Amino acid sequence: MSYLMPAEFATKMVDAGEAKIYMSTRDTLVRAFMAGAILALAAVFAVSVAVATGSHLIGSILFPVGFCMLYLMGFDLLTGVFMLTPLAWLDRRPGVTWGQILRNWGLVFLGNFGGALTVAFLMSFIFTYGYNTDGGAIAEKVAHIGEARTLGYAEYGAAGWFTIFIRGMLCNWMVSMGVVGAMISTNVSGKVIAMWMPIMLFFFMGFEHSVVNMFLFPFGLIMGGEFSVMDYFIWNEIPTALGNLVGGLAFTGLTLYATHVRTAKKRALMSAPTQTQPQM
């Protein structure tokens, strides 16, 4: 596959962050909506496979298909812009301010949530035949996921909250690696391989992704999960989003920027000492 050197794709990261900041409101919302919807479909696909096969591993191997599709189409996830847009400010790109960055994050959040929520209602309608049945094994599985990953954390108080936060950090370390993976190759197969690996890892490990959860938890509530909307936001979405922000920026964005864009001076090589000839 065609491979770009780190200095090249690191510069592309900064360029991408700047482009997203200056994107129109309409385009930002449309691209975010489609990203949330496609990732939601991938999530329900992975859960369906895991329930049908009894193997979480198989579901995790197949989940990245949604991530690959949405990034090949040029759509945007909140986890991606968390990592990319601050780099444009750090690089002092003209006119880039924190106000513009926060505006982009807010629009992408709304778009992602709208897309994920739309798929949650569509899939709940399908599984229940228009809310006339209980939704079966898949609906029950997602309802239990929602309970375990809200009330299950709440049982541990502050320690549970910080557990979600750390899982969110680890998640976007991997997801943002997938975002960068789409930039390190110039052909489709190379991009897909580079994106697939970190996304499969995060899903199998059960790390917390704010956009995936925008689908899983509303869908779980519709399917009868015994937790509340406030449980979802306080004990999952908020700490997950904050963890995603810190993990993606600290572990991927800043490290790649620091060592491949703002590189330190190279170490000077010491010349070999000259040997003096003994006098006769």
Side-chain angles (χ1 to χ4, degrees):
M1 72 180 184
S2 179
Y3 171 71
L4 299 181
M5 295 299 293
E8 296 177 282
F9 67 69
T11 301
K12 289 181 66 176
M13 291 165 56
V14 182
D15 294 339
E18 182 183 21
K20 294 178 191 308
I21 288 171
Y22 286 111
M23 194 182 302
S24 70
T25 298
R26 185 202 66 172
D27 290 342
T28 302
L29 287 171
V30 169
R31 296 182 190 191
F33 181 94
M34 293 306 301
I38 291 171
L39 201 68
L41 283 172
V44 74
F45 168 60
V47 172
S48 299
V49 170
V51 170
T53 61
S55 172
H56 177 57
L57 175 60
I58 296 176
S60 301
I61 291 171
L62 295 177
F63 171 75
V65 67
F67 184 89
C68 293
M69 285 193 295
L70 72 90
Y71 268 102
L72 289 174
M73 295 296 105
F75 299 144
D76 288 321
L77 293 171
L78 183 63
T79 43
V81 297
F82 273 165
M83 183 267 296
L84 292 174
T85 52
L87 300 182
W89 176 83
L90 194 63
D91 203 54
R92 298 186 177 89
R93 295 296 174 95
V96 175
T97 66
W98 270 102
Q100 291 174 313
I101 293 170
L102 293 173
R103 170 187 171 275
N104 175 263
W105 290 356
L107 291 173
V108 173
F109 178 92
L110 290 175
N112 285 169
F113 200 90
L117 195 61
T118 298
V119 172
F121 280 109
L122 292 175
M123 294 308 300
S124 65
F125 192 95
I126 290 172
F127 282 124
T128 61
Y129 292 88
Y131 307 107
N132 289 304
T133 68
D134 62 5
I138 295 171
E140 182 181 0
K141 175 70 173 178
V142 175
H144 288 326
I145 290 173
E147 294 165 4
R149 287 163 61 176
T150 53
L151 303 180
Y153 288 127
E155 291 180 7
Y156 297 94
W161 198 93
F162 279 105
T163 298
I164 311 169
F165 177 83
I166 294 170
R167 287 190 173 188
M169 289 177 58
L170 295 172
C171 172
N172 207 27
W173 182 7
M174 291 296 98
V175 172
S176 57
M177 289 289 287
V179 173
V180 176
M183 302 178 185
I184 71 173
S185 176
T186 56
N187 60 49
V188 173
S189 60
K191 290 175 181 289
V192 168
I193 293 169
M195 288 188 282
W196 204 282
M197 296 182 289
I199 303 306
M200 178 176 60
L201 188 156
F202 112 71
F203 197 85
F204 180 77
M205 293 300 295
F207 297 152
E208 298 283 356
H209 190 281
S210 55
V211 183
V212 172
N213 293 353
M214 291 175 189
F215 163 75
L216 284 177
F217 291 87
F219 183 70
L221 282 169
I222 297 169
M223 293 292 97
E226 296 183 0
F227 61 99
S228 70
V229 173
M230 289 304 296
D231 289 331
Y232 158 53
F233 277 104
I234 295 173
W235 291 104
N236 196 285
E237 189 62 40
I238 292 174
T240 294
L242 292 174
N244 287 169
L245 169 60
V246 173
L249 190 56
F251 293 148
T252 303
L254 293 179
T255 52
L256 289 173
Y257 179 82
T259 193
H260 291 307
V261 178
R262 291 288 183 90
T263 54
K265 291 182 179 180
K266 293 184 178 180
R267 182 172 61 89
L269 295 176
M270 299 293 292
S271 56
T274 57
Q275 294 183 347
T276 58
Q277 296 291 329
Q279 294 189 4
M280 300 298 292

